[in-house]
Every structure is written in C-alpha cells, then in structure tokens.
Amino acid sequence: MRRAITGRFDGPKHVLVFGVGGLALAGLLFFGAYLFYPPDNGYVFLEKSASYLGSFDQERNPQGWWLFSLGLFVIGIVSTGATLFRHRMLAPVIEPRYPLFFASGAFLVGSALLFALGAVPDARTFYVGSFNLNDIHDKLAAGSFWCLGLGMLSDGLILRGNRSDHGSTRILHKHIAKPYIAFAVVGVIGGGSLLIWHIQCRLDSSLKEWPGHGIYSFPMWEWILTFAGPLTLVAVAWQLARYPPREAGMKTE
C-alpha cells in the first residue's frame, strides 16, 4: 500500500487495483453516507450538493457524515499516488522539466485540498472565528477543482509541446492523450451547461439558479467532476504503465 500511495506501481494491473478499486471504495463510502441520511431531511442527488452528505448539521447528515469524509480521504490518496507515478514516468523524457513540476504541483495541491475537504465538513453550525465550516469547505472545494483543472491544462500543453519537439520517439502520445481528451470533453460540456443556465437565470428572474435541473444541475456536475479528475489521473497512470516512455534514441513502436 505504501508503494502505491507514493506512486510506485508494479504495472498496469497494480494501477487499476489501486486506482479503480480506491475510487470504487470511495463510491461505496459515499453511498453509505447516503444510507445514513435521515429520510426526513430528504437528500436528492440532483437537487442537493454532494457535500450535504458530509455535514453533521441536524438538518443534514448527523449520523453518516464521517463516511463521506472517509470517501474524500480515499480519493485524495488515489489522486496522490496516480500523480506521483505519472511524474516519475514522464520526468526522464520531458524537457524542460519545470512545466512538469508545475503541473504535478497543481495535482498534488488539488489532492491535498481533497484531504482537507474531508477534514472540514460542510457544516453551518460550527464556527472557526467568524467563518463557519461551510464557508471554508466551499473554498476548499473550489480550490481542489481549479487545481486539478489547471494540472490537466498544463499537462495538455506539456504533451503538445513535447510531441511537436522530440517526444514522438519517446512517448506514445495517442494513448496518453486519451484520458485528457475525455476529461476535456466532460469539462467543456459541464462548464458550458452551467454557464448557459447562469445566463438563462440572469435573463429570466423566474428561474432559480440553484440547483438547476437536468443537464443544468449543479449537484450532478459536482458529482461527475469529483470522480472525473481523479479517474483521469488513474487512467493516465494506467496508460503510462502500459506504454512506458522510452529514453531518447529509443523508439516506442
């Protein structure tokens, strides 16, 4: 386990067991938190924030909130392990390395913020100074999404530049790029949908921006992106384990 957390996987199968298994465990913990959610408080996935499952407020999930926190811890561990493995595989063949360190740093900060989200429940009844935990939790959640997104964008630019330079003999870009492309598609659809809904609400005062409905549901996209970022990192690690980069002068095919 320690080897996996520090990104020292033994091969593609090990990546899948750790990554997909970890995300599946997180999903089970989230579902467990949902089962504890009091029926009278009425949790609906498309209408209430995912973080409601991790709130110990009486009107939310006072009994099962800790399961949601454990799920976030697991996702943070998975993201960290996948990031470190990705960095170890790419560092020997990416030049210059500074952009790679920046992208890896963004991923690691995003992973740390996921840990912090688990440690700071979305509670309105507990205060730290003049801020309640809900205020802090929301900022941590936004930070984690932005950091993971920044890492994805940076990786895309790094691999694009590497392919245009000398990377075609070192990295099988057509395989490594697939997870990033899938994440970009999901991100564009999600971001575009929420932006369209925001504009509609500004033009029609009878519409309520929160929570949205159908494809415009903010809670739905919150759930999707909670798993999409870490799953993308796992998929990248898996592809790198399947198609390891080669040193300069050695062909990959």
Side-chain angles (χ1 to χ4, degrees), residues 216-227:
Y216 303 124
S217 169
F218 184 91
M220 179 188 73
W221 287 109
E222 183 183 26
W223 276 110
I224 291 174
L225 291 177
T226 296
F227 283 95

Side-chain angles (χ1 to χ4, degrees), residues 55-229:
S55 172
F56 52 70
D57 290 344
Q58 288 300 314
E59 64 273 19
R60 292 185 181 172
N61 199 14
Q63 301 299 322
W65 65 272
W66 57 276
L67 288 169
F68 186 82
S69 291
L70 286 179
L72 289 174
F73 291 152
V74 171
I75 290 179
I77 290 173
V78 169
S79 298
T80 299
T83 295
L84 293 175
F85 179 79
R86 161 202 151 280
H87 185 87
R88 285 195 177 91
M89 296 295 285
L90 292 178
V93 296
I94 295 293
E95 299 175 0
R97 292 186 184 180
Y98 300 109
L100 182 65
F101 276 100
F102 175 82
S104 297
F107 286 134
L108 290 176
V109 171
S111 300
L113 291 176
L114 288 171
F115 276 104
L117 274 176
V120 181
D122 182 20
R124 299 176 183 271
T125 56
F126 190 92
Y127 280 78
V128 178
S130 59
F131 298 95
N132 61 31
L133 292 188
N134 170 262
D135 297 326
I136 301 173
H137 183 92
D138 286 349
K139 290 178 173 59
L140 292 173
S144 67
F145 287 136
W146 279 109
C147 284
L148 291 177
L150 179 61
M152 299 293 179
L153 177 61
S154 300
D155 262 8
L157 295 175
I158 290 168
L159 292 174
R160 177 69 177 178
N162 177 265
R163 184 173 187 176
S164 300
D165 185 11
H166 51 66
S168 59
T169 60
R170 302 187 186 189
I171 301 174
L172 285 177
H173 292 85
K174 63 181 180 180
H175 297 290
I176 309 304
K178 290 178 181 178
Y180 294 111
I181 293 172
F183 180 84
V185 170
V186 172
V188 168
I189 294 175
S193 299
L194 295 178
L195 178 60
I196 291 172
W197 181 244
H198 175 75
I199 294 173
Q200 289 183 12
C201 291
R202 288 292 178 269
L203 296 176
D204 186 350
S205 59
S206 67
L207 297 176
K208 294 183 178 180
E209 189 161 357
W210 176 267
H213 59 85
I215 196 172
Y216 303 124
S217 169
F218 184 91
M220 179 188 73
W221 287 109
E222 183 183 26
W223 276 110
I224 291 174
L225 291 177
T226 296
F227 283 95

